[in-house]
């Protein structure tokens, strides 16, 4: 699974609004889908992940949905705050060892 | 519990020199992964190691790049005869033993600049 498309590349929202980032993948064998948040000058930090046997997972203001048939998964952030501003990466893994990352979405939350 | 430690944070080398990047995994973690990030790009997998073993190096360039994770000490990513195209951020991640390569914990990276 090497092809992960991520959209949009940049996203600007007002504080309190929701943000949605979408990713598509091509490998039917993909079974693990994490989302990482990367702040400037830091390494990526895992914020939520989902496995292929689950359609949705939620953790406070963050949720991820997975549509295996359509091969796409999405990150939803509700009630956005300025500290949510960062670059977000989706990734997928099939039966191998590598995580294949999207190119990232730069999220800006304006007060 | 200290996180994944990488050093140096910044490394400047001239073309033809060697670069050595170090990574100490989180305490209790025995799996180490190296990823490379180019500007405006996602992370690209390079290599997966366990203590004294290279498990998957399918993402490593065939020449000039090598990695090790000795029984004692940090994991080392070594780049010989660096070229300008090697300039990138190199991230190390670790995960606990006995798990699939999921829930990776990343270090803060080493920014390599080749002059």
């Amino acid at each position: 699974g090497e092809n992960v498309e991520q959209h949009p590349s940049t996203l600007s929202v007002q504080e309190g609004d929701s943000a949605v980032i979408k990713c598509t993948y091509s490998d039917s064998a993909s079974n693990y889908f994490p989302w990482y948040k990367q702040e400037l000058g830091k390494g990526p930090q895992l914020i939520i992940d989902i496995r292929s046997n689950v359609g949705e997972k939620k953790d406070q203001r963050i949720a991820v949905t997975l549509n295996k048939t359509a091969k796409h998964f999405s990150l939803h952030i509700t009630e956005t705050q300025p500290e949510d501003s960062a670059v977000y990466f989706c990734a997928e893994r099939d039966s191998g060892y590598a995580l294949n990352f999207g190119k990232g979405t730069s999220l800006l939350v304006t007060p | 519990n200290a996180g994944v430690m990488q050093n140096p944070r910044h490394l400047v080398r001239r073309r033809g020199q060697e670069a050595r990047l170090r990574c100490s995994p989180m305490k209790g973690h025995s799996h180490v992964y190296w990823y490379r990030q180019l500007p405006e790009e996602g992370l690209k997998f390079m290599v997966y190691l366990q203590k004294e073993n290279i498990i998957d190096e399918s993402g490593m360039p065939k020449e000039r790049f090598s990695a090790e994770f000795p029984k004692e000490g940090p994991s080392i990513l070594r780049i010989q005869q660096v070229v300008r195209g090697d300039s990138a951020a190199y991230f190390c991640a670790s995960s606990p033993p006995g798990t699939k390569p999921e829930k990776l914990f990343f270090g803060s990276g080493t920014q390599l600049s080749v002059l």
Side-chain angles (χ1 to χ4, degrees):
Chain A
E2 293 188 1
N3 295 324
V4 180
E5 297 289 333
Q6 182 171 347
H7 298 280
S9 57
T10 61
L11 179 60
S12 182
V13 300
Q14 292 272 1
E15 181 178 1
D17 288 349
S18 295
V20 180
I21 303 170
K22 298 181 179 181
C23 287
T24 60
Y25 61 98
S26 57
D27 191 343
S28 299
S30 299
N31 55 33
Y32 175 67
F33 307 90
W35 286 89
Y36 283 83
K37 175 184 181 182
Q38 186 176 27
E39 297 175 328
L40 194 62
K42 297 184 178 180
Q45 178 186 9
L46 178 67
I47 56 172
I48 196 168
D49 58 3
I50 193 169
R51 289 191 173 82
S52 57
N53 58 345
V54 175
E56 184 174 358
K57 184 177 179 180
K58 190 173 182 180
D59 182 5
Q60 298 182 337
R61 296 187 296 110
I62 295 173
V64 58
T65 59
L66 171 65
N67 184 326
K68 281 206 70 179
T69 303
K71 295 193 183 69
H72 67 70
F73 56 113
S74 301
L75 177 72
H76 305 252
I77 306 174
T78 58
E79 301 172 27
T80 54
Q81 301 166 3
E83 50 266 38
D84 294 330
S85 298
V87 179
Y88 291 81
F89 292 96
C90 65
E92 60 85 26
R93 187 184 68 86
D94 54 22
S95 56
Y97 299 106
L99 287 178
N100 300 301
F101 285 83
K103 290 191 175 183
T105 296
S106 179
L107 173 65
L108 177 64
V109 180
T110 55
Chain B
N1 187 11
V4 177
M5 303 301 292
Q6 289 189 249
N7 67 83
R9 286 298 308 274
H10 302 276
L11 182 61
V12 179
R13 285 287 178 268
R14 297 191 181 279
R15 282 178 295 170
Q17 292 185 319
E18 178 180 288
R20 292 171 69 89
L21 288 61
R22 296 175 183 76
C23 169
S24 295
M26 285 183 70
K27 187 176 181 180
H29 287 193
S30 58
H31 300 188
V32 166
Y33 313 80
W34 286 93
Y35 282 77
R36 176 165 62 178
Q37 185 177 35
L38 295 170
E40 309 298 323
E41 296 280 330
L43 287 83
K44 301 292 186 184
F45 170 79
M46 299 182 74
V47 62
Y48 164 42
L49 312 103
Q50 296 178 13
K51 285 284 188 181
E52 300 185 280
N53 283 306
I54 297 174
I55 307 302
D56 181 356
E57 57 180 348
S58 59
M60 288 278 271
K62 298 300 181 189
E63 299 178 347
R64 302 187 298 108
F65 284 72
S66 62
E68 63 176 9
F69 189 17
K71 186 177 181 180
E72 300 291 338
S75 174
I76 305 288
L77 179 67
R78 182 184 178 201
I79 311 172
Q80 296 177 292
Q81 300 171 0
V82 296
V83 301
R84 289 218 173 109
D86 297 332
S87 296
Y90 291 82
F91 289 95
C92 169
S94 71
S95 65
T99 63
K100 298 178 182 178
E102 300 174 357
K103 299 192 187 299
L104 303 189
F105 293 83
F106 282 87
S108 294
T110 294
Q111 181 65 52
L112 173 65
S113 299
V114 180
L115 304 180

